[in-house]
Amino acid sequence: MGTTTDKRSDDAKTTTTDQGAKDANEAAERAEETAAAGGEKNGEKAGEKAGETVVETAEAQADGGTEAGERAAGEADGADAAADADTDTDTDVEADAAEAPARSGAAAGAGAVVAAGLGLASMTGTWLGTLLAERQTLVGQIKVQSGKATDQIATVYGAPWHTTALVNGVFAVLAMVVAAVVLTGCRPTWVRAVAWGGLVLGFLGLLISAGMYLDLFASLPSLPKVPGAGS
């Protein structure tokens, strides 16, 4: 009996051990399946999250690219506007710079022509000088007739002559002043040539006027003395 009981105990133990091993194996398999299923689920979730992250990153990059493109377009428009403004400013400056020499050249040319005309008038005489000379002649005649003039030749002839010389001398000085002003700046060749001509004519007119006023070219006529006029 004792032997039989021990044998049954051993069989029961063996059976229990085998059953525990089976249960352990089954539990391990279930754990592996659970782990595999969980891994697959986690992998899917991770893949979905990774996909969403990639999509979001792509969208963010696309948005950033669009914003960068807009900023670049805005900067390009600003650069174009600045370039247009600079071009307009440069064009205006160039136009003003081109108009300034044109106006200056025209004024200088007119001044040179005026100087030449004044110099020529100082040599040939002017209408103003003739008018003043005739007036002085009339005044001299009035003085002679009224007995206020002792020297009739000087009063009737010399005074108008000197008046003409003074007027011509004034025109000569004006010609020289205008020509000198024109020659002070950087002028075109033809302007300088005309101005030099006016200056020379003015100088010659001044010399002639001085000779006329000082009676260097011809002295005033005088009445011959009559013999026995004092007796």
Side-chain angles (χ1 to χ4, degrees):
M1 289 295 291
T3 304
T4 303
T5 302
D6 292 336
K7 188 176 181 180
R8 288 179 178 176
S9 298
D10 293 334
D11 293 336
K13 289 180 181 180
T14 302
T15 302
T16 302
T17 302
D18 293 337
Q19 187 66 32
K22 289 180 180 180
D23 293 338
N25 291 330
E26 290 179 357
E29 290 178 357
R30 286 197 298 271
E32 290 179 357
E33 291 178 356
T34 302
E40 291 178 356
K41 291 182 180 179
N42 292 332
E44 292 178 357
K45 290 181 180 180
E48 291 178 357
K49 289 182 180 179
E52 291 177 356
T53 303
V54 171
V55 172
E56 291 177 356
T57 304
E59 290 178 353
Q61 290 178 352
D63 294 337
T66 303
E67 294 178 356
E70 291 178 354
R71 287 196 299 271
E75 293 177 356
D77 293 337
D80 292 337
D84 293 338
D86 293 338
T87 303
D88 295 338
T89 303
D90 294 339
T91 303
D92 294 338
V93 170
E94 290 176 357
D96 294 338
E99 290 177 358
R103 291 194 296 267
S104 178
V113 173
V114 170
L118 290 174
L120 182 61
S122 68
M123 293 184 63
T124 59
T126 62
W127 173 82
L128 180 61
T130 302
L131 181 63
L132 292 178
E134 291 178 354
R135 181 181 182 280
Q136 193 63 35
T137 300
L138 180 60
V139 171
Q141 290 176 355
I142 293 173
K143 288 182 178 180
V144 169
Q145 291 179 1
S146 63
K148 296 181 179 180
T150 57
D151 191 348
Q152 298 179 0
I153 296 177
T155 303
V156 177
Y157 177 77
W161 177 266
H162 294 160
T163 301
T164 302
L166 285 174
V167 174
N168 292 344
V170 171
F171 275 84
V173 172
L174 290 176
M176 294 175 66
V177 170
V178 174
V181 171
V182 173
L183 291 172
T184 54
C186 182
R187 311 299 183 187
T189 304
W190 71 270
V191 174
R192 297 183 66 84
V194 175
W196 274 111
L199 183 63
V200 172
L201 290 174
F203 181 71
L204 293 177
L206 184 61
L207 292 179
I208 294 173
S209 299
M212 289 175 61
Y213 190 81
L214 298 175
D215 298 328
L216 298 178
F217 304 118
S219 60
L220 289 175
S222 58
L223 293 174
K225 292 182 179 180
V226 178
S231 57

